[in-house]
């Protein structure tokens, strides 16, 4: 009788221990998954911030280059408008005044 009672008690303790170990394993797995999820969220946030900063830097460089191109184009257009045309003219000196007749031809 005592042996049977001890056997039943040992089996019940063994069942409780197995249940407790499985619960601990489940809780450890849940903690591991939560930690992994938090890590991936943080990494994703860092990647997003880096992408935004790089986009802002690239846009700033693009706008600076575009502004420089506009300035260069305006100066070039002014220069070509000043030097592109052929200036033909004739002049006569009559008495004490100068009469000019200038034609500007743009080709």
């Amino acid at each position: 009788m005592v042996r049977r009672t001890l056997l039943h008690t040992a089996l019940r303790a063994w069942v409780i221990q197995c249940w407790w170990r499985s619960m601990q394993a489940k809780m450890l797995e849940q903690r591991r998954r939560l930690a992994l999820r938090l890590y991936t969220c943080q990494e994703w946030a860092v990647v997003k911030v880096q992408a935004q900063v790089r986009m802002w830097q690239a846009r700033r460089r693009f706008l600076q280059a575009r502004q420089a191109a506009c300035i260069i184009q305006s100066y070039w257009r002014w220069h070509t408008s000043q030097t592109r045309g052929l200036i033909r003219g004739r002049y006569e000196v009559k008495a004490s005044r100068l009469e000019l007749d200038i034609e500007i031809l743009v080709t």
Side-chain angles (χ1 to χ4, degrees):
M1 186 74 138
V2 172
R3 282 186 201 169
R4 189 186 307 166
T5 306
L6 286 175
L7 180 62
H8 283 294
T9 306
L11 286 175
R12 288 179 183 141
W14 181 73
V15 168
I16 291 171
Q17 286 173 353
C18 288
W19 174 81
W20 180 249
R21 287 183 188 126
S22 69
M23 290 304 293
Q24 280 184 331
K26 284 181 185 179
M27 290 188 325
L28 183 65
E29 181 65 23
Q30 285 177 349
R31 278 191 231 130
R32 188 186 69 77
R33 285 186 183 192
L34 180 63
L36 182 62
R37 187 178 298 146
L38 289 175
Y39 175 76
T40 55
C41 285
Q42 288 174 351
E43 286 294 314
W44 187 249
V46 167
V47 168
K48 282 288 198 183
V49 169
Q50 286 175 346
Q52 291 293 324
V53 168
R54 288 183 183 133
M55 182 185 70
W56 175 74
Q57 289 173 340
R59 178 139 179 86
R60 190 179 66 186
R61 283 192 303 270
F62 166 74
L63 291 175
Q64 287 174 347
R66 187 177 72 176
Q67 184 180 10
C70 288
I71 291 171
I72 291 169
Q73 285 176 353
S74 67
Y75 278 110
W76 178 253
R77 287 177 183 148
W78 178 83
H79 174 71
T80 56
S81 71
Q82 296 296 317
T83 59
R84 186 174 12 159
L86 298 174
I87 299 177
R88 291 185 187 167
R90 64 178 182 85
Y91 61 92
E92 303 178 356
V93 176
K94 293 183 180 177
S96 65
R97 62 176 208 169
L98 180 65
E99 183 179 319
L100 291 174
D101 183 17
I102 299 175
E103 293 179 20
I104 299 176
L105 300 175
V106 178
T107 58

